[in-house]
Amino acid sequence: MTDLKSKISQLDRSQMLQKIQAFQEHLLQGWETGGKTDTPLKQPFDHIVFCGMGGSAIAGDFIRTLFHDKLTKPFFVNRQYAVPFFANTNTIAVISSYSGNTEESLSALRDAESKKCKIICLTSGGQLAGIAKEKSYPLFDLPGGYPPRAALGYNLGILLRIFHEAAIGDINQKCLEDGCASVKKYKDKWDDPDNPNTNPQTHPTHQTHPT
């Protein structure tokens, strides 16, 4: 197993495996971050448009898929330069860009502003952070140094928390903590060097037998 871990370390220069294994920790940290800033979700609104691209949009897909029967307000994932035509003063526009410089997300922000949407920003910095601070938009800081897709746990945790605070879905901290505990249990099991199912070098299907 030591040889296998050494090979993974050599090939996985960006430590993506470690980032994936820490998903449940990121999720809980995102939940905490999501409770530190007030949002317009506590005001009357009709629907939510989540704007993002690539890895920054994945959290929106998770929310839409996992909680489609629990959210009490319509939720849309938008991967366009503009927000949907129906967006207006009763729309919450969540602008998600890990770098803060994604062209499509910044364009969607400008369009959301022109339609007087209520704005929420999720980013690790860049232009989006600057605009949010300048215009006093609710800003949720993501930690830097990650590929956008590896920051999914933080993004998702923040969204779950702000939806919980706004009471627009059957989402609560205990369910999140129980789910994370289950993920950690299986992560620890599959990360066990004595578990042959986790090591392709010792897995029975990879063994050669004399004929």
Side-chain angles (χ1 to χ4, degrees):
M1 189 63 176
T2 302
D3 290 343
L4 180 61
K5 286 189 174 182
S6 177
K7 290 179 181 178
I8 291 175
S9 179
Q10 292 174 12
L11 295 172
D12 187 14
R13 300 287 179 85
S14 64
Q15 299 183 322
M16 180 60 74
L17 178 60
Q18 293 181 22
K19 294 179 174 68
I20 293 172
Q21 290 177 330
F23 173 79
Q24 75 279 357
E25 298 170 16
H26 298 169
L27 195 58
L28 291 173
Q29 290 171 24
W31 178 272
E32 291 299 319
T33 299
K36 295 178 180 178
T37 303
D38 288 333
T39 73
L41 286 169
K42 295 182 179 180
Q43 304 169 14
F45 67 94
D46 292 337
H47 37 251
I48 305 168
V49 176
F50 184 88
C51 304
M53 298 294 294
S56 296
I58 299 175
D61 292 331
F62 267 70
I63 293 287
R64 184 183 59 185
T65 301
L66 296 175
F67 299 99
H68 71 280
D69 60 341
K70 294 181 172 61
L71 295 178
T72 57
K73 296 286 187 177
F75 180 84
F76 304 87
V77 179
N78 182 67
R79 289 179 168 88
Q80 306 295 331
Y81 281 87
V83 294
F85 178 78
F86 61 74
N88 56 36
T89 56
N90 294 319
T91 300
I92 300 290
V94 181
I95 313 297
S96 176
S97 168
Y98 183 76
S99 68
N101 298 315
T102 308
E103 180 180 340
E104 293 88 343
S105 299
L106 292 173
S107 176
L109 170 61
R110 291 190 291 270
D111 189 46
E113 290 175 327
S114 72
K115 294 179 178 178
K116 309 299 182 184
C117 300
K118 301 176 177 68
I119 309 292
I120 298 174
C121 300
L122 282 72
T123 184
S124 68
Q127 296 179 58
L128 183 57
I131 294 170
K133 291 173 182 176
E134 177 186 347
K135 299 185 177 182
S136 298
Y137 294 146
L139 172 63
F140 294 93
D141 293 315
L142 301 171
Y146 287 80
R149 63 189 180 280
L152 169 62
Y154 295 108
N155 251 318
L156 186 57
I158 289 170
L159 285 177
L160 291 173
R161 180 60 179 271
I162 61 180
F163 286 3
H164 166 72
E165 296 291 338
I168 59 171
D170 185 15
I171 303 167
N172 62 72
Q173 186 170 356
K174 185 179 185 306
C175 288
L176 185 69
E177 290 176 344
D178 289 347
C180 287
S182 295
V183 171
K184 185 179 186 305
K185 180 180 69 174
Y186 284 104
K187 176 244 177 206
D188 291 343
K189 173 183 176 181
W190 286 91
D191 199 36
D192 180 1
D194 294 324
N195 182 353
N197 292 315
T198 67
N199 187 342
Q201 295 178 344
T202 61
H203 194 283
T205 60
H206 289 263
Q207 302 302 305
T208 58
H209 302 278
T211 57

